[in-house]
Amino acid sequence: MAFATRPFVRFSSATAAAKKLVVKHVAVIGGGLMGAGIAQIAAATGHTVILVDQSDEILNKSKKGIEDSLKKLTKKKFADKPEAGAEFIEKTLKNLTTSTDPVSVVHSTDLVVEAIVENLAVKNELFKTLDKFAPEHTIFASNTSSLPITEIANATTRQDRFGGLHFFNPVPLMKLVEVIKTPMTSQKTFESLMDFSKALGKNPVSCKDTPGFIVNRLLVPYLMEAVRLFERGDAAKEDIDVAMKLGAGYPMGPFELLDYVGLDTSKYIIDGWHLLEPDNPLFAPSPLLDKLVEEKKLGKKTGEGFYKYK
């Protein structure tokens, strides 16, 4: 309000901070690699977690992946204390349950983290449904890496309690979380998401709802520029990879990284951004990338992308 005094603003701000939500119960929607990883670290840090997917078959696979991941981590973390490692795994798994019914689990959750297919319509339909059954205090968050958080939030009536939590793969090992604040996200919600990220043992960074947030906004145009450099015949892809590894200190060259991520995923991201900003040259599609995806040469997962894999 225009006539509010400074003391009133400070008091209001302190009150909002005092009322921020401490997340204890988490529902993770999507049992794929990202969702299972988020569920694992949340359970490992003492949160009560429900992992949701469409079938028990998917969820059983997710749970096995989580158990295998925990065993690998405890071998290193508890190398000299195998009993402590076994206890850690047991406690983590006790905090984790599964369900095929997202509507039934949101009744008692503080935070819903969505990690399903990168399709705006599907995400919107999910959140629109969950919005009707979740308690008023429940915060919604999407793990999308390329879609606008604002557009997903607009499918709900809780835009002020909606933000982005963008984790990185593999979730148990990668320390970064991008916390995305839309123009409607309340400060209380934002602080709650930052605190939750820290409680997971992660290093959160904040970003406005801009295409690709921070990492992918810088990374994807870099990858696409490497492809254009190769398309023009300015340098061989092998030389570009070596140059960026030895000259810039990157662990992988751009073509190696594209094959690792999946060429279909990269094409999906750049095509989406191109639709949003068709005049932005950084978001221009690549004929070569389009051709490889059309030929089902998607990278390591199909045995061939920019390189061939045995």
Side-chain angles (χ1 to χ4, degrees):
M1 295 166 64
F3 55 79
T5 63
R6 286 188 178 182
F8 176 79
V9 171
R10 285 200 297 269
F11 173 78
S12 174
S13 192
T15 302
K19 290 183 179 179
K20 65 184 176 182
L21 178 67
V22 177
V23 174
K24 295 180 180 178
H25 306 288
V26 185
V28 180
I29 316 295
L33 202 59
M34 295 302 294
I38 296 166
Q40 176 185 321
I41 60 170
T45 49
H47 299 84
T48 302
V49 183
I50 302 177
L51 180 62
V52 183
D53 212 305
Q54 294 176 328
S55 71
D56 289 325
E57 183 182 359
I58 294 172
L59 290 168
N60 288 335
K61 185 178 178 182
S62 301
K63 284 196 76 173
K64 186 180 184 306
I66 290 171
E67 287 182 39
D68 291 343
S69 175
L70 287 169
K71 287 174 184 176
K72 287 180 183 177
L73 289 173
T74 52
K75 277 185 181 179
K76 295 179 180 179
K77 189 175 180 181
F78 300 96
D80 300 327
K81 300 176 181 178
E83 290 182 2
E87 184 181 348
F88 172 73
I89 293 174
E90 184 182 356
K91 280 185 177 180
T92 299
L93 294 177
K94 275 186 178 179
N95 288 333
L96 178 65
T97 56
T98 60
S99 174
T100 56
D101 184 5
V103 167
S104 68
V105 306
V106 297
H107 288 292
S108 57
T109 193
D110 299 320
L111 172 67
V112 174
V113 181
E114 167 271 314
I116 62 173
V117 63
E118 283 287 84
N119 181 297
L120 183 61
V122 176
K123 291 181 190 290
N124 281 352
E125 187 61 33
L126 171 69
F127 279 118
K128 185 179 180 181
T129 300
L130 298 184
D131 189 40
K132 299 173 184 176
F133 298 93
E136 186 179 348
H137 79 276
T138 302
I139 294 172
F140 285 178
S142 176
N143 181 58
T144 182
S145 60
S146 62
L147 297 172
I149 299 294
T150 303
E151 289 192 29
I152 306 173
N154 283 340
T156 75
T157 60
R158 63 184 73 211
Q159 291 98 331
D160 60 323
R161 286 151 287 156
F162 204 116
L165 281 178
H166 183 217
F167 293 83
F168 292 80
N169 186 38
V171 178
L173 299 179
M174 297 293 280
K175 291 293 187 183
L176 182 67
V177 178
E178 292 177 323
V179 180
I180 314 306
K181 186 178 183 182
T182 77
M184 302 94 73
T185 306
S186 71
Q187 184 64 19
K188 183 175 87 170
T189 296
F190 172 71
E191 290 176 6
S192 297
L193 291 174
M194 290 289 284
D195 288 349
F196 173 67
S197 301
K198 292 173 184 176
L200 298 180
K202 302 300 183 184
N203 293 322
V205 294
S206 64
C207 183
K208 292 182 179 179
D209 188 17
T210 186
F213 315 134
I214 297 174
V215 173
N216 283 337
R217 181 62 178 80
L218 297 174
L219 179 61
V220 174
Y222 150 72
L223 295 175
M224 294 303 297
E225 188 59 22
V227 175
R228 295 184 192 106
L229 193 69
F230 176 50
E231 281 179 315
R232 293 194 299 268
D234 293 338
K237 60 181 181 292
E238 294 84 358
D239 288 339
I240 295 171
D241 277 349
V242 169
M244 294 311 295
K245 285 190 286 187
L246 300 186
Y250 289 6
M252 300 173 73
F255 294 97
E256 293 172 329
L257 183 55
L258 281 161
D259 278 356
Y260 177 78
V261 169
L263 304 191
D264 52 338
T265 301
S266 301
K267 173 177 162 52
Y268 179 85
I269 293 172
I270 205 67
D271 285 353
W273 293 359
H274 181 63
L275 284 173
L276 288 173
E277 299 182 26
D279 297 326
N280 190 333
L282 293 175
F283 299 163
S286 156
L288 176 57
L289 182 63
D290 291 346
K291 179 175 180 290
L292 290 170
V293 172
E294 188 178 345
E295 294 171 351
K296 306 299 182 185
K297 296 175 181 177
L298 308 181
K300 293 193 76 171
K301 60 186 174 184
T302 59
E304 185 176 356
F306 285 103
Y307 297 110
K308 290 184 178 180
Y309 303 89
K310 293 182 180 179

